[in-house]
Amino acid sequence: MTTTRYRWTVLGAGPAGIATVGRLIDSGVPAGEIAWVDPEFAVGDFGTKWSVVSSNTRTSSFLRFLESTVAFDFVQAPNFDIRGIDPHETCRLGAVAEPLRWITGRLTARVAAHKTRATLLELSGRCWTVHTEQSVLTSDNVVLAIGSDPRALTHPGLHEIPLDVVVDPQKLATENLEGATVAVFGSSHSTMIALPNLVAQPVAKIVNFYQHPLRYAVEFEDWTLFDDTGLKGRAAQWARENLDGRLPDRLRRRHVDDPRFDELLGQCDRVVYTVGFEPRRVHAPQWGPLRHNPANGIIAPGLFGIGIAFPGQRVDPTGYAEHRVGLEKFMQQLDQCLPIWLRYGV
Ligand SMILES: Cc1cc2nc3c(=O)[nH]c(=O)nc-3n(C[C@H](O)[C@H](O)[C@H](O)COP(=O)(O)OP(=O)(O)OC[C@H]3O[C@@H](n4cnc5c(N)ncnc54)[C@H](O)[C@@H]3O)c2cc1C
């Protein structure tokens, strides 16, 4: 085992980790003093699990993310498909993952990239020790950009179809759903991708169990109602036409408090959970569960969080507060937090 000391260590190479490494370099931190740890360096879940998903964000917002950071060097990038997409339209997330893979390659050539997983964090002697599966790093500061896992409920006896399978028609086609009865929990953006994909399969019936009425994002001049929790893009269009319109033949919707809940769930043999995300954790026995302050991303002295696992929060002009998840929002959170992090070391 080798031990190396860095000024900054970034855990995770999804969009949030990419943004953090880029912005640290733009802030004047020498690239050689940054360690970057990820088991794959393949743009995180964004690049590996959600590539076929239609975005809830306009292409212009992704372009702003790609062009926002000098260290990304995006002006030198090849002519990726994203440049040919109407900026006012949504796009497949794969069209964004492609340039992000290119940027990852540029950044890993400059910083100290460690292709492994962090397993344990400790603070002592005003220095963080990051244990990984391959080595031990020490660092003045650590940024967690480790992403989240889809949350699951526990309904015994049902075969679960994972979220990354149900959102991908090709993967879903391998599930052999002939005659199946599928329970789908949730009413999120992911739900509105899962339901049409399931309707296109030879299932006998789909029962969508929901807790809340549907919520749609509405754009105003300089803000968006339900910007982070409302349905947008194709998902919103499908929900309006089908769930608020005419339900497809084999689809039923039931509130989770419906008196026939147990009976209806008893008829199902598969289950899909589209009920949100659970932040991933790195073991840090000194600190217990690592919680961040959404206003500034601080978790502990010299330990900070960003991305879907540690999102910022914004109160809209009506007084409604939401966690902010999405590439451009991660960048805005960094703009707000990084000047603080650079002074908030151990
Ligand atoms: C279906 C769906 C659609 C979405 N659509 C959009 C959209 O249209 N627009 C938008 O802006 N956002 C969208 N998002 C939200 C968000 O952009 C993604 O969830 C994005 O993947 C979050 O980026 P991240 O970097 O925080 O996490 P991730 O992409 O999950 O990356 C985390 C990385 O950290 C690594 N990691 C985890 N643990 C460790 C460890 N211990 N040590 C080292 N590395 C570790 C992981 O392997 C991974 O590579 C969508 C999300 C979903 C689920």
Side-chain angles (χ1 to χ4, degrees):
M1 290 247 177
T2 52
T3 308
T4 320
R5 176 138 186 187
Y6 297 97
R7 230 165 108 189
W8 287 85
T9 296
V10 179
L11 304 184
I18 294 170
T20 308
V21 170
R23 280 299 165 98
L24 281 170
I25 296 173
D26 278 13
S27 302
V29 177
E33 295 185 13
I34 301 171
W36 197 11
V37 181
D38 188 283
E40 288 182 278
F41 288 101
V43 193
D45 289 6
F46 192 91
T48 54
K49 293 186 177 166
W50 319 129
S51 269
V52 298
V53 169
S54 164
S55 72
N56 52 30
T57 312
R58 287 182 207 276
T59 305
S60 54
S61 164
F62 293 127
L63 287 168
R64 282 196 293 276
F65 178 96
L66 295 167
E67 289 163 356
S68 64
T69 302
V70 177
F72 288 175
D73 212 9
F74 193 58
V75 282
Q76 301 289 339
N79 198 16
F80 291 117
D81 288 353
I82 192 164
R83 295 201 202 264
I85 298 172
D86 180 345
H88 299 104
E89 295 297 324
T90 57
C91 62
R92 279 173 83 244
L93 294 183
V96 190
E98 200 186 9
L100 286 175
R101 264 190 289 276
W102 182 85
I103 290 170
T104 302
R106 303 285 279 202
L107 293 176
T108 51
R110 297 180 64 186
V111 304
H114 297 258
K115 201 169 179 181
T116 181
R117 181 178 297 279
T119 50
L120 177 68
L121 288 176
E122 287 169 322
L123 174 64
S124 71
R126 299 189 70 188
C127 176
W128 285 94
T129 303
V130 181
H131 298 258
T132 77
E133 287 167 350
Q134 287 173 8
S135 58
V136 179
L137 318 176
T138 56
S139 189
D140 297 340
N141 303 281
V142 177
V143 181
L144 302 184
I146 53 180
S148 296
D149 287 317
R151 189 172 289 147
L153 307 173
T154 45
H155 294 105
L158 295 174
H159 170 79
E160 183 181 343
I161 307 173
L163 185 59
D164 62 305
V165 172
V166 78
V167 297
D168 183 336
Q170 270 189 347
K171 286 190 197 167
L172 190 59
T174 64
E175 280 282 313
N176 187 18
L177 292 172
E178 181 92 50
T181 300
V182 189
V184 178
F185 284 82
S187 46
S188 60
H189 181 74
S190 310
T191 318
M192 303 314 149
I193 296 164
L195 289 176
N197 284 353
L198 285 165
V199 167
Q201 291 291 318
V203 298
K205 195 161 84 173
I206 304 156
V207 189
N208 177 209
F209 294 105
Y210 64 93
Q211 248 179 342
H212 308 291
L214 296 185
R215 179 181 284 179
Y216 294 98
V218 179
E219 284 188 20
F220 292 86
E221 194 100 318
D222 54 359
W223 69 285
T224 303
L225 179 71
F226 302 140
D227 194 18
D228 292 277
T229 53
L231 298 173
K232 295 179 178 172
R234 284 194 194 174
Q237 192 183 339
W238 188 87
R240 279 205 164 94
E241 286 169 6
N242 294 275
L243 303 189
D244 289 342
R246 199 191 141 113
L247 278 183
D249 278 351
R250 290 164 294 139
L251 175 62
R252 307 281 178 273
R253 292 198 88 219
R254 290 282 182 271
H255 193 269
V256 287
D257 291 337
D258 190 294
R260 292 182 59 213
F261 175 85
D262 288 338
E263 177 195 335
L264 289 164
L265 188 63
Q267 293 168 6
C268 299
D269 42 41
R270 317 288 165 102
V271 66
V272 172
Y273 295 117
T274 53
V275 291
F277 290 82
E278 199 70 58
R280 293 192 183 106
R281 297 286 172 214
V282 178
H283 194 45
Q286 249 167 317
W287 308 96
L290 298 176
R291 295 211 176 84
H292 76 306
N293 179 331
N296 50 41
I298 294 171
I299 298 172
L303 182 65
F304 311 102
I306 189 81
I308 188 172
F310 302 99
Q313 199 173 36
R314 191 166 71 176
V315 180
D316 78 15
T318 70
Y320 181 67
E322 283 181 317
H323 280 127
R324 310 189 74 221
V325 172
L327 270 59
E328 202 181 8
K329 291 162 189 169
F330 300 157
M331 200 57 100
Q332 289 163 355
Q333 175 79 347
L334 274 176
D335 285 344
Q336 191 174 306
C337 297
L338 201 52
I340 300 168
W341 298 357
L342 288 163
R343 289 171 176 231
Y344 198 81
V346 269

